[in-house]
Amino acid sequence: ERLDVNILPKQPKDHGWDVFTLQYKTSSPLDNILTQNAMRRYQRIFNLLWQLKRMEFTLIRSWGELCIANRTGFPELSTVHCSASLTANEMLQFIQQLQYSIHDQVLEKAWLKVLNPDKPFLDFEDLLERHEEYLQTMLVFVDRDEIRRKLGEIIIVTAAFQSSLNQL
């Protein structure tokens, strides 16, 4: 009852899971902090992380299929399967490192500033201000054109790689 699955309007370049999103419903007193505006901003952060998680899943599945194909397939394709497997593994490592960096260097670092033990909350307004700073810090990262462009390129390369693997 607190979590909804939403399907967003499909855009021309969207594929399958691109239109999937989760929406968390809040009620009083939590909705005083997690307002509709704040939840829309969390949604943008979620969408970025969801895209990365989908790429990770695709690469894990591809790598597993390549490992199986290398063992059970045609011996003359073993070199191709081995090279593709190594490429999938390197791409997977990159995506996982990118996810770790976003969590560690952006989300966690910003959250620790909110919970700064050297600066206790003075009142509810102070909590709201720090929460707003947290959202702004995350959105500065998420909304960077360079980040969006690079993520788009990574998605395209991952999809092209997957398509190439499907043809093997």
Side-chain angles (χ1 to χ4, degrees):
E1 83 188 40
R2 289 187 176 256
L3 190 64
D4 274 345
V5 175
N6 291 334
I7 305 298
L8 302 172
K10 188 170 182 352
Q11 302 297 320
K13 294 183 180 182
D14 285 344
H15 299 72
W17 290 99
D18 291 337
V19 296
F20 170 84
T21 188
L22 294 175
Q23 182 178 9
Y24 188 76
K25 296 182 201 174
T26 59
S27 57
S28 187
L30 194 55
D31 61 356
N32 290 309
I33 299 168
L34 299 175
T35 63
Q36 288 298 317
N37 183 32
M39 296 306 284
R40 279 190 298 274
R41 293 187 287 169
Y42 275 113
Q43 192 67 51
R44 289 170 35 207
I45 297 158
F46 169 81
N47 290 340
L48 173 83
L49 297 173
W50 181 247
Q51 286 177 323
L52 289 170
K53 192 51 79 175
R54 280 190 359 259
M55 285 186 282
E56 178 185 28
F57 174 78
T58 298
L59 289 167
I60 288 171
R61 190 182 66 213
S62 297
W63 181 79
E65 290 170 358
L66 284 166
C67 289
I68 292 168
N70 194 32
R71 290 189 194 117
T72 60
F74 300 101
E76 55 272 6
L77 289 177
S78 66
T79 303
V80 173
H81 284 151
C82 186
S83 294
S85 179
L86 289 172
T87 301
N89 189 43
E90 287 180 26
M91 291 172 74
L92 178 60
Q93 292 291 322
F94 174 78
I95 295 297
Q96 288 173 333
Q97 194 61 38
L98 181 58
Q99 287 180 73
Y100 170 77
S101 295
I102 291 170
H103 283 281
D104 187 57
Q105 298 299 315
V106 179
L107 304 178
E108 185 70 20
K109 198 178 230 182
W111 187 246
L112 290 175
K113 285 175 83 175
V114 171
L115 300 179
N116 184 352
D118 296 331
K119 188 179 173 192
F121 294 111
L122 301 175
D123 54 23
F124 186 69
E125 286 299 317
D126 189 31
L127 171 64
L128 292 176
E129 286 174 18
R130 288 200 219 172
H131 182 246
E132 179 62 29
E133 288 173 20
Y134 175 68
L135 287 171
Q136 289 299 326
T137 300
M138 290 189 304
L139 290 175
V140 164
F141 175 80
V142 169
D143 288 342
R144 283 188 186 149
D145 288 338
E146 181 181 353
I147 298 292
R148 290 262 174 227
R149 191 172 88 289
K150 289 291 184 188
L151 184 58
E153 291 171 7
I154 292 168
I155 290 169
I156 289 168
V157 168
T158 304
F161 180 72
Q162 181 65 38
S163 178
S164 298
L165 292 179
N166 290 340
Q167 295 175 9
L168 284 179

